[in-house]
């Protein structure tokens, strides 16, 4: 008699455990579960065994090889495409030239095969199905037999309304070779869905052998853990590996158990594992090979694979931890959780019940993981970046994330506050908008849906309407597939870092208030906001001056809303606007010299602008920033301009020539906007210049018209300046050391060192600023010099210093 083990499927219900190996290779008591199928067949004299393979076949072949190490002879049959259970066995038809038994490679059983075969032969059956009574048959094929054992009916994985028996198909069959003649090779064919109904229809002798012996289909985490519990308690008749050292405590070779560690059986500790001082290994725990269990760590009813490192005071309850997982101090993992291969859980992470973390993920310090972590590589406690939240649509930021985020914001704002929500015209942004609205409503916050806007429009409308805040969702054109979420405070600026932390904490803890159903507010919808805002922009500039300028402007923007607003304003001003059909440089190449007064590109969110002068020359980002400063000085009655700490000193030169003043802030968007609002108010035209590309364009046209200058002539009034910026890789753990060493070194001499933000060092012919980035593992070097060469030299000088400090 021959045996065939079905090991083809990948096992989707055990996906976190099996996504980088076939399910039959999942370890049970430190050995692949398929090992027990081989031993079962061998126990009853079946040593000529075929194995059907489809998912990662080489992994199984490399492990079992020809089977000689297991005392059997193995033959492999690989499906190039999935053929179903019967189709995969058909692949081995030439090998199966006598009565054969089919077993699953991912089931654990100690069934007496001889009794089942004897029954098969006595009944002269063509096919015999091994059956077992279970309490919940929904995940199995249900079978009913008559008094003689003949199969009369079966149904694959019914719902409760369809259940007609508690006797289920175990996936173990005794078959005659003839059954394989009822369908063609290469045809997708399943035993329970196709072959057995066909045999029943044709009246072929098919019987069910009911067993009361142990059988467990390892198809999900609960049955996977239960298989271990059953082995530890002796319910399944397979010898325990290793040797006993106490009451139902088994250990492998060279296990190092500290005298003050406590083990309570039944449990198993694998080869070369170390159990440190004060650790507790509770009942029904299996720990694999080469693990390091930290001091005062507690593990109960859990399964750990191999090469895991657990730091001190870790708690694991009823969970599965795969290979090479790094679990830092005071991490808690609760019932039903799965931690995939190669994950890192940083200190004080809490993994809630039934959460699955796919392989190679990094869970940041203090994170409470409430839902499955499947995509991406990291789950961070920090939600907010330099300017709101960004991430991959439907990967990092999905509807569930949006609802939680809205609820967290509502929790911090408190009920009965009013919040505006808007988005761009991207369908993914709309999806997230409704999620955020739902979360806000659930916490009792009133929501005004302002429709399709840009962030600058929302900045203007929130204080105008007297709201507590606003949220805008938009497509982030800098990274394909990314979306961004901007949060606006009641003054039109960004949320403070302290308030962002409050939202993050509420999000991580899911500490949300829930109002009763009768108190859920209604959503108010507004759809005329862009037109209202367009009129506000026109009031902020001298439209007559722009009209008299007779401007011809070439505009490119991916935003239909931005294009519509600019078209309306230009129509009102009587100026000529041409929408670019291609990118700006190509359009300007085709245009006649001087055809346009200027050209510009406005990003999809209406915040950033690229300028080209009347000669088609692109204006650098640094010069654009200086231009913004000039326009703000001209628009502000106090002759004040707010600029980030990294701005060039030429702005001070320009301010002095205009009898103005420069106020420098830290480089964050919050710091800049907060200072502008504090000094100039949130409804002024100057406020719009800091936040809205369209407002900046209109103010630029007004100044050009009033001064009767072209854009190149206006730029020509700016003294020449030379600035450089460079990004230098610097691991997070090195940043503090680098900055400390720089401060120590630079303060030794007579140089002027400023520590307002980062380390800024004044030199005789310029300055350099070293600023550690808040989002990336880099430091940024900004420099300004009397010449381009000197600015480059300064940048290189501090790049070398940073690299040298990292190696110290």
């Amino acid at each position: 008699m021959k045996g065939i083990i079905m090991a083809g499927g990948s096992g989707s219900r055990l996906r976190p455990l099996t996504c980088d190996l076939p399910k039959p290779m999942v370890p049970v008591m430190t050995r692949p579960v398929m090992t027990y199928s081989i031993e079962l067949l061998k126990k009853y004299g079946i040593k000529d065994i075929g194995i059907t393979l489809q998912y990662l076949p080489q992994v199984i072949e490399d492990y079992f090889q020809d089977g000689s190490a297991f005392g059997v002879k193995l033959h492999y049959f690989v499906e190039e495409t999935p053929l179903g259970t019967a189709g995969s066995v058909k692949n081995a038809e030439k090998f199966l030239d006598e009565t054969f038994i089919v077993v699953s490679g991912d089931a654990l059983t100690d069934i007496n095969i001889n009794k089942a075969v004897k029954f098969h032969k006595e009944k002269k059956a063509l096919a015999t199905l091994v059956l077992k009574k279970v309490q919940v048959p929904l995940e199995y094929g249900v079978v009913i037999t008559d008094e003689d054992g003949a199969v009369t009916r079966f149904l694959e994985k019914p719902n409760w309304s369809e259940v007609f028996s508690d006797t289920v198909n175990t996936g173990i069959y005794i078959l005659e070779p003839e059954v394989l003649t009822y369908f063609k090779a290469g045809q997708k064919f399943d035993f329970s869905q196709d072959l057995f109904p066909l045999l029943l229809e044709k009246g072929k002798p098919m019987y069910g052998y009911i067993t009361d012996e142990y059988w467990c289909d390892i198809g999900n985490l609960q049955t996977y853990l239960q298989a271990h519990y059953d082995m530890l308690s002796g319910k399944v008749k397979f010898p325990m590996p290793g040797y006993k050292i106490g009451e139902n405590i088994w250990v492998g070779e060279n296990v190092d158990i500290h005298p003050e560690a406590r083990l309570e059986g039944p449990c198993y500790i694998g080869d070369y594992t170390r159990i440190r001082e004060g650790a507790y290994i509770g009942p029904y725990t299996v720990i694999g090979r080469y693990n390091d269990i930290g001091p005062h760590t507690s593990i109960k009813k859990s399964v750990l694979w191999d090469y895991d490192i657990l730091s001190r005071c870790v708690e694991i309850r009823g969970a599965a931890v795969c290979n090479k997982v790094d679990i830092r101090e005071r991490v808690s993992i609760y019932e039903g959780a799965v931690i995939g291969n190669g994950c890192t859980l940083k200190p004080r992470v809490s993994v809630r019940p039934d959460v699955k973390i796919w392989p190679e993920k990094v869970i940041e310090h203090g994170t409470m993981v409430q839902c499955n972590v499947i995509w991406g590589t990291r789950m961070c406690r920090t939600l907010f970046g330099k300017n709101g939240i960004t991430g991959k649509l439907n990967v990092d930021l999905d509807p569930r994330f949006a609802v939680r985020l809205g609820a967290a914001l509502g929790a911090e704002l408190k009920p009965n506050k009013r919040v505006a929500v808007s988005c761009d015209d991207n369908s993914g942004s709309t999806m997230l908008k409704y999620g955020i609205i739902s979360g806000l409503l659930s916490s009792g916050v009133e929501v005004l849906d302002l429709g399709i806007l840009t962030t600058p429009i929302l900045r203007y409308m929130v204080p105008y309407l007297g709201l507590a805040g606003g949220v805008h969702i938009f497509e982030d054109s800098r990274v394909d597939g990314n979306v961004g979420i901007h949060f606006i405070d009641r003054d039109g600026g960004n949320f403070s870092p302290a308030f962002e932390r409050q939202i993050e904490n509420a999000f991580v803890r899911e500490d949300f208030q829930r109002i009763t159903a009768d108190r859920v507010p209604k959503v108010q919808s507004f759809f005329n906001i862009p037109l209202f805002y367009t009129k506000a922009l026109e009031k902020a500039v001298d439209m007559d001056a722009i009209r008299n300028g007779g401007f011809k402007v070439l505009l490119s923007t991916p935003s239909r809303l931005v294009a519509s607003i600019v078209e309306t304003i230009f129509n009102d001003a009587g100026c000529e606007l041409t929408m670019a059909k291609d990118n700006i440089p190509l359009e300007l190449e085709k245009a006649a010299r001087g055809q346009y007064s200027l050209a510009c590109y406005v990003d999809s969110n209406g915040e950033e602008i690229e300028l080209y002068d009347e000669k088609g020359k692109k204006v650098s980002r640094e010069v654009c920033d200086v231009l913004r400063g000039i326009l703000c000085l001209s628009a502000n009655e106090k002759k004040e301009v707010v600029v980030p700490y990294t701005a060039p000193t030429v702005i001070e030169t320009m301010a002095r020539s205009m009898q103005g003043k420069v106020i420098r802030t830290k480089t964050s968007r919050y710091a800049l906007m907060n200072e502008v609002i504090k000094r100039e108010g949130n409804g002024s035209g100057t406020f719009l210049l800091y936040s809205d590309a369209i407002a900046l364009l209109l103010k630029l046209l007004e100044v050009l018209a009033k001064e009767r200058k072209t854009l190149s002539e206006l730029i020509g009034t700016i003294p020449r300046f030379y600035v450089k910026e460079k990004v230098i890789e610097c691991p997070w753990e090195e940043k503090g050391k680098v900055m400390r060493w720089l401060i120590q070194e630079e303060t030794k001499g007579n140089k002027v060192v400023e520590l307002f933000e980062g380390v800024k060092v004044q030199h005789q012919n310029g300055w350099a600023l070293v600023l550690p980035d808040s989002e990336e593992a880099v430091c940024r070097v900004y420099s300004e010099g009397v010449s381009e060469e000197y600015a480059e030299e300064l940048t290189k000088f501090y790049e070398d210093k940073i690299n040298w400090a990292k190696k110290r």
Side-chain angles (χ1 to χ4, degrees), residues 516-557:
T516 57
D518 61 324
R519 293 182 178 272
V520 176
K522 291 184 178 180
V523 178
Q524 300 180 58
S525 299
F526 296 82
F527 301 106
N528 296 319
I529 301 299
L531 181 60
F532 176 85
Y533 183 70
T534 299
K535 298 306 177 184
L537 288 177
E538 291 183 358
K539 289 179 183 177
V541 295
D542 187 339
M543 287 290 284
D544 289 334
I546 294 174
R547 187 176 293 108
N548 294 333
F551 294 105
K552 296 180 180 180
V553 175
L554 176 67
L555 172 69
S556 174
T557 179

Side-chain angles (χ1 to χ4, degrees), residues 1 11 27 62 96 217 288 312 319 491 499 524 535-536 731 777 792:
M1 188 171 179
D62 288 346
L96 301 171
D217 174 27
R312 64 175 53 249
D491 295 316
F499 192 63
Q524 300 180 58
K535 298 306 177 184
E792 286 181 351

Side-chain angles (χ1 to χ4, degrees), residues 256-262 274-280 292-297 311-313:
D256 181 1
I257 302 173
H258 193 280
E260 294 184 20
R262 187 160 66 96
R274 182 180 184 186
I275 311 294
R276 294 178 183 258
E277 176 186 2
Y280 171 68
D292 190 343
I293 309 302
H296 306 288
T297 282
S311 190
R312 64 175 53 249
C313 301

Side-chain angles (χ1 to χ4, degrees), residues 437-450:
I437 288 174
S438 297
L440 286 166
L441 293 174
S442 74
S443 60
V445 171
E446 296 181 32
V447 176
L448 280 66
D449 183 354
L450 301 190

Side-chain angles (χ1 to χ4, degrees), residues 317-338:
R317 301 288 183 266
V321 178
C322 298
N323 294 325
K324 300 179 181 178
V325 176
D326 181 1
I327 301 177
R328 308 287 173 83
E329 57 267 20
R330 299 191 184 279
V331 167
S332 300
I333 303 172
Y334 294 100
E335 287 81 359
V338 180

